[in-house]
Structures are given as structure tokens and as C-alpha cells.
Amino acid sequence: RCNVCGWRGRSFLSDSWHPHTICARCGSQVRHRLLFATLQTHPELNFEQLACGKRILHFAPERFFPRHLRSKAAKYVTADFVKKYSLDLQLDMCDMGSVADASFDLVIACDVLEHVPSDVVALQELNRVLAPNGWAILTVPQVDNMPTKREDPTITTPAAREAAFGQVDHLRIYGDDFPTIVESQGFRVTTIDADSFPPELIEESVLFPPVLSNKPLATNYSKVFFAQKTK
């Protein structure tokens, strides 16, 4: 059962990275269902605390997200570097000069930071546009058991980026130090993974891949990072 859209079936669909992890109706992946499981069940990091009555900025929103958030938020703004038809703003996460300080209570950016020219500058900008004690919800591709982020500005061709970072438009791929990177820019990070939930929910909503990928750049152990602004 998909905990995002409610679809039920014998198994989820597969992609090139993992079998049986994609919802047949809404297309949610493991990281999305981890995020929703947190917002649905966590005693502190839930819809009521983080979204209801809040000002939300959502980068590159997946198509199934807005309907869950727009009705709860006091203000819900969607954005991307390339403005698509249904989005509110064309916005560079590294240079949000059109957005005033402390304009939002929550920023969501799932698998966005690997695309931006500088993830550190982007995190600084996220911190700036967040109100005091505001939150950012972040996911990134992470190589299993890799200690530190892999980044090399000399890698510029699509083929080389795919080989090094897993996708032609990725500029980096992350390791276990991602929470430290975020915390260095004025956040306190809470990490959520499948172990944060009871076994029956993990199995029912596929919060962990039923078959681990043997690809060297695969993210088998998906995590969602809830980062609260501290300064």
C-alpha cells in the first residue's frame, strides 16, 4: 500500500535502480514514502507541526506533493530553476534575491542539492529565507557507506557525470557526511530512515528496497533529513 496516494496492489513497479519500489499510481519512490511516513506518524516532525498554517516553499515538487500540502499551508509556493507551467516561481536556489529574509517556515527540496552549482551556497540561502526555528526537508542521492561527498568540478561531460555521480545532470553525489554539511550552515539535523518505523509499516509501504541494488552508486539506504534552523 502506498502511504502517499493509498494505492494497493500485489507489488510496486520497478526502475533501473531497484525492483518493486515505485508506486503504480503516483510514482512515489522509497524516499517519498519515508518522508510521508514521517509527516503522518512522527510525534514531532508531522504535518500538524511542520505544515499546518505554515508558509511553505517547495522546490521541484513531485506531482503528488502539492495536493497534500496546499490545503494545510497558510502559503504554499512551488519553484524550480526552470519554471514549468504549473509552478509559481523560477528560482535559483543559490541566488534567491527575490525572496526576503525569513519568508518561509518550511522549505522542501527532495533530490535537488546534487543539481545546483554550489550546495553550500544553496544551504546558506535556504537558511536565510527560513524564519527563526524554521525547517528544511532534504533528500539527496547517497552512496552506501561512502564517508564523504564526491565532487569534482573538472568533470563536465554528461557521460562523465553519469559515471561519477549517477546521472548526467548531477554535479556531486553524497556520502555519510551530508548531515555534517547541512549542520555547518546553521541547522540541526534529524535523520529519518526505515529503521525509524515499525517492521509492518516498512513492509507494507516499502520503506526499504525489497531487493538491494548492486550498482555502485545506488542509494539502498534512503534517508530523509529534517534540518531546523538554529542561527
Side-chain angles (χ1 to χ4, degrees):
R1 177 183 178 275
C2 177
N3 63 333
V4 177
C5 72
W7 178 86
R8 291 180 179 271
R10 180 169 295 180
S11 67
F12 285 153
L13 303 178
S14 303
D15 64 11
S16 60
W17 292 94
H18 292 98
H20 311 306
T21 56
I22 310 298
C23 175
R25 178 189 289 166
C26 73
S28 68
Q29 301 178 40
V30 170
R31 64 179 182 271
H32 307 125
R33 294 190 297 276
L34 280 172
L35 170 52
F36 265 74
T38 308
L39 293 174
Q40 290 163 339
T41 67
H42 197 280
E44 297 173 357
L45 305 174
N46 53 50
F47 279 117
E48 180 66 27
Q49 298 295 323
L50 299 188
C52 290
K54 305 298 185 182
R55 301 164 297 168
I56 301 174
L57 174 62
H58 197 162
F59 279 94
E62 292 80 357
R63 60 186 177 87
F64 48 78
F65 266 111
R67 68 184 181 91
H68 291 278
L69 294 170
R70 199 180 300 276
S71 62
K72 296 178 174 63
K75 177 183 181 182
Y76 180 72
V77 178
T78 57
D80 202 346
F81 181 71
V82 179
K83 185 178 179 182
K84 301 172 184 176
Y85 177 76
S86 59
L87 300 184
D88 299 311
L89 297 177
Q90 182 175 1
L91 202 58
D92 181 352
M93 189 185 287
C94 293
D95 183 10
M96 294 188 280
S98 61
V99 180
D101 295 0
S103 293
F104 292 95
D105 305 298
L106 173 65
V107 176
I108 304 171
C110 292
D111 280 28
V112 175
L113 285 172
E114 65 273 17
H115 296 274
V116 303
S118 170
D119 54 352
V120 171
V121 173
L123 289 166
Q124 291 170 351
E125 277 288 85
L126 292 183
N127 188 294
R128 180 184 66 79
V129 303
L130 281 169
N133 300 313
W135 290 86
I137 300 176
L138 307 169
T139 67
V140 292
Q142 287 181 280
V143 177
D144 298 335
N145 302 314
M146 186 170 74
T148 58
K149 176 178 68 174
R150 181 187 302 164
E151 186 173 36
D152 185 347
T154 68
I155 298 175
T156 58
T157 68
R161 284 176 173 169
E162 183 174 24
F165 309 130
Q167 198 165 300
V168 297
D169 56 350
H170 286 186
L171 303 183
R172 60 194 62 86
I173 193 164
Y174 291 91
D176 295 336
D177 64 334
F178 180 70
T180 302
I181 294 170
V182 178
E183 288 174 342
S184 72
Q185 302 308 316
F187 293 94
R188 180 176 63 250
V189 176
T190 299
T191 302
I192 299 291
D193 59 15
D195 290 338
S196 305
F197 302 97
E200 58 271 18
L201 181 59
I202 297 171
E203 182 177 2
E204 179 186 52
S205 294
V206 189
L207 304 184
F208 188 80
V211 180
L212 297 184
S213 174
N214 59 8
K215 294 186 177 183
L217 300 182
T219 302
N220 283 310
Y221 299 89
S222 293
K223 301 176 180 66
V224 183
F225 303 92
F226 288 76
Q228 187 174 31
K229 177 176 177 175
T230 58
K231 62 180 181 181

